[in-house]
Amino acid sequence: MERDRDSLKRHPWELRRCDFFGRVLADAGLLHPGLDFLDAGAGDGFVARSWLAAHPELHSATCWDAAYSEEDLANYGAGGGDRIVFVREPPSGRFELVLLLDVLEHIEDDAEALSGLMRTLRPGGHLFLFVPALKFLFSDLDALHGHYRRYALGELNTLTQTAGFEIIRSRYFDIVGVLPWWLLNTLMGATTFNPLMIRIYDAVFAPVSRLIDRMITPPFGKNILLVAKRPD
């Protein structure tokens, strides 16, 4: 039996993040019946499982993570059914959609990674990227979590286009989160997430940030969201 979101007892932030990504892709018409998608750097497959459960019309998900152990592969794949598979080696199939959610910053050779992902997409297929933004925000917390970098919008656009993609949408996200991150993590050197501060941010600042993101295209933000296409 496929695990549902409640049984996983996820942090509310993680649930909102998953729902937000799903809404972006649904609004863009990219979550369509029969979709086969790849989640690169998928971890335990929470996003893929959630979307398959919420959208029975989707066909399949492949969760790929080079860090999977044999135990991970056995545990994550147990009871997943035939709609989701977990793999450690680069997948050989071609997909209509590739997700790279908070992953590219962990890869030393990000240019090669994007070129490799291009080869996993069918012609006309789409890449969905979400990364941390603004180099001056780089902190000890970034380094602790294995981040090689944070991105500028123009830099990420150039990197994606150099790999052969056509950019469909590219924008900064979460303008309100810039100042708290800079104060707490970059300036003060926090290396953990304070639960109280997270609750305050979720209750007060996050709704404001989402409203701003809906109303305007912010000139800067804590993250970058990018949708690109492999040419037909």
Side-chain angles (χ1 to χ4, degrees):
M1 179 177 178
E2 187 167 313
R3 291 178 294 175
D4 61 28
R5 288 155 52 117
D6 291 335
S7 69
L8 292 171
K9 296 181 180 178
R10 297 286 176 162
H11 190 280
W13 170 84
E14 197 169 5
L15 297 175
R16 287 195 297 273
R17 174 180 179 271
C18 180
D19 290 340
F20 167 72
F21 292 148
R23 287 196 306 272
V24 170
L25 291 173
D27 290 346
L30 298 180
L31 292 184
H32 56 78
L35 176 71
D36 295 304
F37 68 93
L38 170 68
D39 188 355
D44 64 6
F46 172 65
V47 169
R49 290 180 186 276
S50 298
W51 290 359
L52 290 176
H55 300 276
E57 73 277 9
L58 303 182
H59 184 257
S60 71
T62 297
C63 295
W64 169 36
D65 199 316
Y68 285 149
S69 65
E70 290 297 330
E71 183 180 6
D72 291 333
L73 292 172
N75 289 339
Y76 296 154
D82 58 3
R83 296 178 68 209
I84 186 168
V85 296
F86 292 81
V87 298
R88 184 169 53 210
E89 300 301 323
S92 58
R94 292 291 186 92
F95 301 90
E96 299 167 83
L97 174 67
V98 171
L99 309 176
L100 205 60
L101 307 177
D102 293 312
V103 172
L104 192 63
E105 66 274 12
H106 292 269
I107 301 173
E108 186 171 9
D109 192 343
D110 51 359
E112 175 58 30
L114 287 177
S115 296
L117 288 173
M118 166 73 81
R119 295 189 288 272
T120 70
L121 276 171
R122 300 174 187 174
H126 290 82
L127 170 71
F128 182 48
L129 268 175
F130 193 78
V131 298
L134 303 180
K135 294 178 183 297
F136 77 87
L137 290 182
F138 195 90
S139 66
D140 290 342
L141 185 60
D142 284 288
L144 184 66
H145 283 270
H147 296 179
Y148 285 97
R149 65 195 73 83
R150 301 179 73 95
Y151 290 90
L153 187 63
E155 172 193 24
L156 187 63
N157 289 345
T158 299
L159 190 70
T160 306
Q161 290 170 325
T162 300
F165 290 96
E166 298 175 357
I167 294 176
I168 305 300
R169 182 186 184 190
S170 178
R171 56 171 290 171
Y172 283 113
F173 176 77
D174 192 10
I175 188 172
V176 175
V178 170
L179 181 58
W181 182 280
W182 179 77
L183 285 173
L184 293 174
N185 302 321
T186 309
L187 185 63
M188 297 174 63
T191 55
T192 59
F193 291 106
N194 184 302
L196 175 60
M197 296 304 296
I198 290 175
R199 288 196 294 271
I200 293 173
Y201 184 83
D202 286 347
V204 179
F205 296 101
V208 175
S209 187
R210 289 195 295 270
L211 179 62
I212 293 173
D213 285 324
R214 286 196 297 267
M215 294 176 63
I216 66 170
T217 299
F220 60 91
K222 187 167 63 68
N223 299 92
I224 296 172
L225 182 155
L226 183 148
V227 180
K229 177 183 176 182
R230 174 174 177 169
D232 294 323

